[in-house]
Amino acid sequence: MQSTKEILKNLNPKQNYRKLFVIWGGILGFVIVCALLIFWWQTREPSYTYTTQEATKGDISTSISANGTLSPTHEVSIGSVISGIVLEVLVDVNDAVSKGQVLAKIDSESIEQDLYRYEAQLQSAKAQLKSAKVALEEKQWQYNQLQNLFKATHGKTPSKLDLHSAKTAYNSALSEVELRQANIKEIETAIRSTQVDLKNSHITTPIDGVVLSRSIEVGQSVAASFQAPEFFIVAESLEEMELNVSISEADIGKVKVGQSVKFSVDSYPQKVFEAVVERVNFGASESTDNIVSYEARIYVGNQDLLLKPGMSATADIVTDSAKNALLIPSSALYFTPQTPRKESAKSSSMNPFAMNQQRPQRTRGGGAKRQANSSIWVLENGVPKEVAVEVGISDGTLTQIFSDSIQPGMLIIIAQKEEK
């Protein structure tokens, strides 16, 4: 048990006040130190690291993409205008053919029989015409004799009835001759038509070229009464082809005849083909989902015959280009340095709307000429510096600029990171 002296010592108020002072003093000191640390952290100048790329000189171009299908520059569909049985097929797919060459033959026996019949009718008609001419000469002579006799006898003989009958017989004989002549022309027309059908029984090509497709076999029955069947498709030449691409209405204004084109096909993914825009259609193609498009025709050289009709292609049409241009990363046009805390707090206290303000959007140009004013940030001696520039064309990665203050090799800031 504690003695009475110890109990009285513990109840000494001076000693209790001293302990409380020490405890609260320590707490207050800790709070002050924390507050000073927080104040220092919030008011210190942050340190930044910058990601940069050098400005360079080089060539740049801008293009639009379009999809299309390859086809020969000139191809014809060859069919039959007569009906019959296919007797022979003389060519196959990929065969080279010459103008006038026979590709297939259709049974022409019935046509030949019609031709023989018409020729026999023609001979008979000519003989009938000859007989009619003889009869005409006789009727004409008789009529002339009666006329002379009537004049010599001053109308006493023959009678007017006999004279009229002779005239009627002459006119009838004349009509018979004309009828026979018309009959001959009709038969001759039938003969010529039959000869055309006989000629058409041999299916020929109207051009030099290559057979792309064949849809006819020996023994096949051809019915051309309602619609001419298609037997062959012949391309004039596969060394020259065309690529028809569909271009949206937003891009069609940039496409001009003579612009260079680079395209690729799935069959040769590593190879890039070059071509030229040959024609831009004025009329719009059929719209799909309210999207209007226009067709452009691109001339393609195919001397090595790698490209084939029907291949799908993805083309890039070069709409603008610049040589030896001053180039910077496109992302530099959208970079804005972070504002230090002191300046940011001061700006915010002076302008309550500062948090809602945004930097004006950069506008990229669409042609080789100067298009828009903008600014970029360069790194000089470790410090960002804003430089006004004018923007030219862009390919999405690099952008052409015009500025006397920017030289090749200068460091262009594209990103910023605060060091912890």
Side-chain angles (χ1 to χ4, degrees), residues 216-284:
I216 183 177
E217 299 293 341
V218 174
Q220 180 176 335
S221 178
V222 177
S225 303
F226 302 100
Q227 184 178 2
E230 181 183 278
F231 291 160
F232 303 94
I233 295 179
V234 177
E236 187 171 24
S237 174
L238 295 182
E239 294 183 356
E240 296 179 357
M241 301 188 71
E242 63 182 47
L243 173 61
N244 295 295
V245 297
S246 181
I247 302 173
S248 67
E249 60 177 327
D251 294 327
I252 192 63
K254 305 173 187 176
V255 181
K256 302 290 186 295
V257 173
Q259 290 175 336
S260 61
V261 181
K262 294 182 179 180
F263 70 93
S264 61
V265 296
D266 293 339
S267 299
Y268 311 102
Q270 304 302 323
K271 184 175 179 60
V272 177
F273 299 88
E274 296 186 354
V276 177
V277 177
E278 184 179 12
R279 183 184 67 203
V280 180
N281 291 353
F282 290 109

Side-chain angles (χ1 to χ4, degrees), residues 2-19:
Q2 290 183 341
S3 64
T4 304
K5 186 177 180 179
E6 289 177 350
I7 294 172
L8 293 174
K9 184 180 179 180
N10 291 335
L11 296 175
N12 191 339
K14 292 183 178 180
Q15 291 180 353
N16 292 335
Y17 289 149
R18 190 177 300 161
K19 289 181 179 180

